[in-house]
Amino acid sequence: GSTMDNIDNIDLIKFGLIPEFISRIPIISILNKLSKNDLFDILTKPKNALIKHYQKLFQYENVELEFDKDALIAIANIAFKKNSGARGLTSIIENLLLDIMFDIPNNKMIQKIIINSKAVEKKENIKIIYKNQKEIT
């Protein structure tokens, strides 16, 4: 491991933190920067994963929300480049979905939203499938 793995209270005092503050820290842990794979996993794997959360929100409006794998990779890459960690994932998704989230309650004809990497990278619009419309691929 790195020298950061062995940090203790004395190191923190030498760094300039006051002993009264340090005595209140029960556990010291070091966090490493999240990798692109870590960010991708945060989007998809946990029970309360971000993507599942937004899909559930859209379900309340009877709209299916679909992200293809390349879109999720693109979101993870943007967060990684911005060095914004897991919180950055939320702001990227919110920016992406903001307009549509406002449109959906007023348009009951929207059936499905499809997001690909081009939409994430703002190179094309998000695909909207309306009720009674055949999906164009």
Side-chain angles (χ1 to χ4, degrees):
S2 74
T3 53
M4 294 295 279
D5 294 338
N6 301 317
I7 282 187
D8 62 19
N9 292 356
I10 290 155
D11 296 319
L12 295 176
I13 291 170
K14 286 180 187 170
F15 182 71
L17 297 176
I18 60 171
E20 293 80 7
F21 176 69
I22 293 171
S23 66
R24 296 176 187 271
I25 303 174
I27 297 170
I28 298 172
S29 65
I30 306 303
L31 302 176
N32 295 318
K33 184 179 173 185
L34 295 169
S35 71
K36 289 178 189 178
N37 286 340
D38 294 333
L39 292 164
F40 181 85
D41 289 348
I42 290 167
L43 282 173
T44 58
K45 286 192 176 170
K47 197 173 99 176
N48 60 344
L50 276 174
I51 295 304
K52 294 173 190 168
H53 168 75
Y54 283 96
Q55 286 171 330
K56 180 78 76 190
L57 283 176
F58 278 64
Q59 264 177 7
Y60 290 133
E61 297 289 344
N62 296 313
V63 174
E64 186 183 343
L65 176 61
E66 179 184 297
F67 288 82
D68 71 17
K69 187 175 181 184
D70 289 338
L72 299 175
I73 291 168
I75 292 168
N77 285 339
I78 292 168
F80 185 80
K81 283 180 191 151
K82 287 184 174 180
N83 201 15
S84 58
R87 283 214 172 92
L89 295 170
T90 304
S91 63
I92 293 163
I93 294 171
E94 283 184 357
N95 269 331
L96 189 63
L97 298 176
L98 192 64
D99 292 340
I100 284 186
M101 288 174 78
F102 279 108
D103 292 344
I104 285 176
N106 303 323
N107 189 340
K108 298 298 178 196
M109 292 305 291
I110 296 175
Q111 180 178 336
K112 186 175 185 179
I113 305 295
I114 301 172
I115 299 178
N116 62 22
S117 60
K118 287 189 172 104
V120 171
E121 294 159 357
K122 308 278 188 210
K123 292 178 183 168
E124 66 181 45
N125 291 330
I126 292 171
K127 198 179 294 179
I128 300 172
I129 308 296
Y130 295 92
K131 293 178 176 133
N132 305 323
Q133 174 190 346
K134 295 278 181 249
E135 193 171 316
I136 303 161
T137 52

